[in-house]
Amino acid sequence: MSDRVSGIGLNLSAGLASVTVAVTLVALKLWALGATSSLSVAASLADSALDLMMSAAGLAAIIYAARPADEDHAFGHTSVEDLTALGQSLFIIVSAGVIAWAAVSRLLAETPPPLAAEHQGIAVMVASVALTLALVLWQRRVARKTGSRVVAADSLHYMGDLLPSLGAIAALWASARFGLQNIDSVVALAAALMLATGALRIGRGAWDALMDRSADRETIEGIAALASDFPGVQGFHDLKTRTAGSRIFVHLHIELDGDLPLRDAHAIGAALRRKIIATYPQCDVIIHKDVARET
């Protein structure tokens, strides 16, 4: 239970950090847009505003998923993470398409828009990159520990923001130094491709979870190894898993000596359950005890 509580706390910290950074970036880029009139900064501002909406939705999903099981949701509420991650991935794909379309339009434009106050704009975008990078590093650490697809999707979205932000810095610098104004369009195309690729990966994972796909092969093989080598267990069968959000639900039948007292049989099953959860904290384990076949 303590591992689950710790995971919920980490997910909440990532969600709150995401919303805080998004609000800060929107405020900074609003000022930069007024100072520079840069379309690349405007595009980055629009992306940050979308990030704010996405982050708020993700935080709401994390809070809802943390609710304990009840009469209507006996297995908890973690599937909301998959629903949110699927929605986020679709939104990211659309955003990638819009970014790519805008980049191509700028490249084909005869006269790029003029820029002003480039140095102030660069300072704001550098601060934006630093904040975003710090957030992404924390989100990725949390996602690795908890397996939350919502945090992973949010991290991907912010990771995609780094390239447009760097492109905006390059565009402002090139405009101030050489009068070049189309560099950020090339970077934006690369960012759009990266966003779309990552969104498809996360969307596929969320879809698989909603369709009750089993856990990854490494986890299944690890659980099987724990069961087969556990003291008192003479065999096992019907190992079944399914994923829901950051949780993995495990059903397992173990085979025990039929002459064991009920108390001892229960102790073996409970000890194996604790061992599995200690090794894979994201798992919710149900173990059924069967009498081993006589040889």
Side-chain angles (χ1 to χ4, degrees):
M1 180 63 71
S2 60
D3 290 327
R4 172 168 168 75
V5 172
S6 175
I8 291 172
L10 285 172
N11 287 338
L12 285 173
S13 72
L16 288 170
S18 178
V19 171
T20 301
V21 168
V23 171
T24 303
L25 293 181
V26 167
L28 286 173
K29 291 176 184 179
L30 272 172
W31 179 87
L33 176 60
T36 65
S37 299
S38 167
L39 286 180
S40 61
V41 173
S44 185
L45 168 61
D47 198 41
S48 291
L50 294 174
D51 287 344
L52 178 56
M53 291 187 290
M54 294 276 287
S55 297
L59 178 59
I62 290 171
I63 293 173
Y64 185 80
R67 296 173 60 184
D70 53 33
E71 292 183 1
D72 294 329
H73 303 85
F75 291 95
H77 301 78
T78 52
S79 288
V80 71
E81 294 185 22
D82 298 311
L83 287 170
T84 303
L86 185 60
Q88 285 178 322
S89 65
L90 293 174
F91 184 85
I92 292 171
I93 290 173
V94 172
S95 298
V98 172
I99 291 172
W101 178 83
V104 172
S105 298
R106 292 179 194 173
L107 287 172
L108 296 178
E110 295 183 1
T111 305
L115 304 181
E118 290 93 339
H119 296 296
Q120 292 92 328
I122 289 173
V124 169
M125 298 311 296
V126 168
S128 170
V129 168
L131 283 172
T132 302
L133 184 58
L135 175 63
V136 166
L137 291 175
W138 175 246
Q139 287 177 321
R140 289 195 168 187
R141 180 181 177 184
V142 170
R144 283 196 301 269
K145 286 181 173 293
T146 67
S148 173
R149 289 190 177 88
V150 172
V151 176
D154 207 34
S155 173
L156 171 66
H157 200 194
Y158 278 102
M159 187 65 187
D161 289 349
L162 288 175
L163 279 179
S165 295
L166 292 172
I169 292 171
L172 291 168
W173 179 81
S175 173
R177 185 70 181 268
F178 304 110
L180 302 175
Q181 300 177 3
N182 284 329
I183 295 177
D184 62 328
S185 298
V186 176
V187 177
L189 283 173
L193 178 61
M194 184 187 73
L195 278 171
T197 301
L200 287 173
R201 176 178 55 81
I202 288 179
R204 179 181 177 183
W207 174 259
D208 286 343
L210 289 170
M211 298 302 293
D212 283 341
R213 188 181 181 90
S214 61
D216 61 274
R217 182 177 297 276
E218 181 179 355
T219 299
I220 295 174
E221 291 177 350
I223 294 172
L226 291 175
S228 62
D229 295 335
F230 200 79
V233 176
Q234 299 184 10
F236 71 92
H237 58 276
D238 288 344
L239 170 56
K240 298 179 181 179
T241 64
R242 68 179 183 89
T243 57
S246 56
R247 304 293 290 167
I248 298 176
F249 294 93
V250 180
H251 288 204
L252 173 65
H253 287 243
I254 59 174
E255 300 167 7
L256 305 175
D257 184 347
D259 294 329
L260 280 176
L262 178 59
R263 188 183 303 275
D264 292 345
H266 174 77
I268 292 173
L272 175 57
R273 179 178 181 275
R274 289 194 298 270
K275 180 67 174 179
I276 294 173
I277 293 175
T279 307
Y280 302 98
Q282 72 273 34
C283 286
D284 187 309
V285 183
I286 296 177
I287 296 179
H288 180 81
K289 292 166 278 292
D290 294 331
V291 176
R293 295 180 180 178
E294 295 183 0
T295 56

